[in-house]
Amino acid sequence: MSELTVATSLGTVSVGKAEEKKPLKPCCACPETKKVRDACIIEKGEENCKDLIEAHKECMRALGFKI
């Protein structure tokens, strides 16, 4: 394992050990498509956001998730 270091406005901060090859969790995958999908569903309803929902599913599938 290696030391994880993060650069912030206050300087560089060590946040501990980083695990190697940590599997990606579904909640953290495709944040770009997830954000616009969720905003659309909240504002317009699920039935009006099918294209964004499908785009997010495609992104998840591309990362190896079975949806």
Side-chain angles (χ1 to χ4, degrees):
M1 288 189 213
S2 61
E3 188 79 14
L4 182 62
T5 306
V6 178
T8 68
S9 60
L10 300 174
T12 302
V13 179
S14 176
V15 292
K17 302 280 180 188
E19 288 188 37
E20 310 258 340
K21 294 271 185 174
K22 203 172 190 180
L24 184 63
K25 296 179 183 178
C27 62
C28 302
C30 303
E32 302 84 11
T33 57
K34 182 178 180 180
K35 184 177 180 178
V36 293
R37 177 207 65 181
D38 291 350
C40 181
I41 291 171
I42 291 169
E43 293 172 14
K44 300 177 183 178
E46 186 174 337
E47 61 280 352
N48 297 311
C49 302
K50 294 190 186 292
D51 57 331
L52 295 173
I53 293 169
E54 195 54 41
H56 184 63
K57 287 181 181 179
E58 288 177 21
C59 180
M60 297 287 286
R61 287 183 195 116
L63 292 175
F65 292 99
K66 294 180 182 175
I67 295 182

